[in-house]
């Protein structure tokens, strides 16, 4: 398959506990979702679709020319929303769909291409995603930073909010710094899927491990599916989760 033959779907919800209406927040004179959409359009995707459950987001996206679909409002995860979009677009089972989060206005188009290409090149994987080295011990012990551990073939063994792996002897002495020679990695939340897998994912429903860690990718591992993980070729700026994040991005984009 041509790695460029893929579709980007951008899930965009209005509800947010920390930043209500987040996709519509202004950054340099444009709503956040427009910045995300523009970055995705700079990638090699054949099609970029915003998926939302809110009329205000739909209207905003239509105003700047984005293809947009109204989806159900009862989806438990962004992946469930993607599955609805793949079905409604009539995508073939082997079609590649990349999930780009709607709060990533600085996402480099190169990483969107990278994760799509990785899935196309690894038929043994149902999902492809990315990671990057952890910077310090503070990040390792931060439950908001998701850690990933892979095998020798680049396939995920597991994901966790806990420090992973646990360096028993080193941490018994000190937890102030990262142990040497252990490749601690942070998971980056961008995913590529095959459309047929998305239908299976929704049909399975959540598993207890996914619910415990609040990490939906664990549903795939629980059902024996493989996830390819590669280090991102380009450094990623953090997304927008808080008001402080929003101000930082506004400064970076000259708002």
């Amino acid at each position: 398959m041509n790695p460029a033959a893929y579709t980007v779907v951008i899930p965009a919800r209005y509800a947010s506990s920390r930043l209500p209406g987040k996709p519509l927040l202004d950054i340099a004179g444009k709503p956040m979702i427009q910045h995300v959409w523009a970055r995705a359009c700079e990638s090699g995707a054949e099609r970029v679709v915003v998926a939302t459950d809110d009329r205000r987001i739909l209207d905003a996206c239509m105003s700047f020319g984005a293809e947009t679909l109204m989806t159900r409002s009862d989806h438990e995860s962004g992946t469930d929303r993607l599955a609805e979009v793949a079905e409604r677009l009539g995508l073939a089972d082997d079609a590649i769909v990349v999930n780009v989060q709607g709060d990533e206005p600085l996402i480099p188009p190169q990483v969107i291409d990278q994760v799509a290409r990785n899935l196309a090149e690894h038929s043994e994987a149902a999902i492809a995603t990315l990671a990057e080295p952890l910077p310090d011990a503070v990040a390792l012990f931060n439950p908001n930073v998701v850690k990933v551990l892979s095998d020798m073939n680049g396939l995920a063994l597991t994901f966790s909010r806990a420090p992973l792996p646990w360096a028993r002897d080193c941490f018994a002495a000190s937890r102030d710094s990262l142990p040497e020679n252990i490749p601690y990695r942070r998971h980056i939340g961008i995913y590529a899927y095959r459309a047929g897998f998305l239908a299976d994912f929704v049909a399975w429903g959540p598993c207890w491990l996914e619910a415990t860690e609040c990490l939906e990718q664990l549903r795939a591992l629980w059902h024996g599916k493989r996830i390819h993980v590669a280090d991102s070729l380009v450094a990623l700026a953090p997304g927008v989760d808080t008001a402080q994040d929003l101000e930082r991005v506004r400064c970076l984009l000259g708002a």
Side-chain angles (χ1 to χ4, degrees):
M1 174 183 289
N2 177 3
Y6 70 91
T7 298
V8 166
V9 178
I10 306 172
R13 295 174 61 249
Y14 190 88
S16 171
S17 58
R18 286 181 286 188
L19 288 174
K22 183 162 60 171
L24 300 182
L25 294 175
D26 182 86
I27 300 176
K30 300 175 183 177
M32 183 188 306
I33 190 64
Q34 185 172 355
H35 289 278
V36 181
W37 172 80
R39 293 282 181 134
C41 288
E42 293 172 6
S43 73
E46 291 186 329
R47 192 173 188 179
V48 178
V49 181
V50 178
T52 185
D53 59 1
D54 191 276
R55 183 75 203 188
R56 290 162 289 189
I57 296 174
L58 176 73
D59 290 342
C61 290
M62 292 180 67
S63 73
F64 57 78
E67 181 179 0
T68 313
L69 283 179
M70 280 288 288
T71 61
R72 302 200 324 264
S73 60
D74 60 347
H75 290 302
E76 295 185 6
S77 71
T79 310
D80 293 273
R81 196 175 307 280
L82 257 70
E84 180 188 347
V85 173
E87 180 181 7
R88 289 177 57 185
L89 294 180
L91 299 180
D93 284 350
D94 63 348
I96 291 178
V97 181
V98 176
N99 180 350
V100 174
Q101 298 298 320
D103 57 5
E104 297 280 353
L106 299 176
I107 187 168
Q110 300 96 313
V111 306
I112 303 174
D113 289 335
Q114 181 187 2
V115 74
R117 182 174 60 251
N118 287 352
L119 184 59
E121 293 175 352
H122 291 274
S123 59
E124 75 278 18
I127 304 173
T129 190
L130 299 176
E132 64 182 4
L134 273 174
D136 51 42
V138 173
L140 179 64
F141 288 95
N142 182 349
N144 295 316
V145 176
V146 177
K147 276 66 70 173
V148 58
L149 184 61
S150 303
D151 68 14
M152 61 185 293
N153 297 313
L155 298 172
L157 293 170
T158 194
F159 299 80
S160 182
R161 297 183 181 278
L164 187 73
W166 184 259
R168 186 193 64 176
D169 295 340
C170 292
F171 292 149
S174 172
R175 300 183 186 180
D176 294 334
S177 60
L178 291 176
E180 295 182 2
N181 303 318
I182 299 179
Y184 285 105
R185 297 160 81 204
R186 178 183 82 88
H187 177 228
I188 297 170
I190 182 171
Y191 299 94
Y193 310 88
R194 293 184 179 85
F197 167 80
L198 287 170
D200 291 338
F201 184 91
V202 173
W204 292 330
C207 67
W208 71 264
L209 183 59
E210 167 191 0
T212 300
E213 288 260 19
C214 293
L215 297 174
E216 61 183 305
Q217 65 268 38
L218 292 173
R219 188 187 312 183
L221 295 181
W222 178 257
H223 286 273
K225 301 300 181 180
R226 306 310 304 268
I227 301 176
H228 182 271
V229 186
D231 282 346
S232 175
L233 297 175
V234 181
L236 273 76
V240 177
D241 291 319
T242 66
Q244 291 76 17
D245 295 336
L246 178 64
E247 290 309 312
R248 184 187 65 252
V249 171
R250 282 172 170 167
C251 290
L252 290 171
L253 291 178

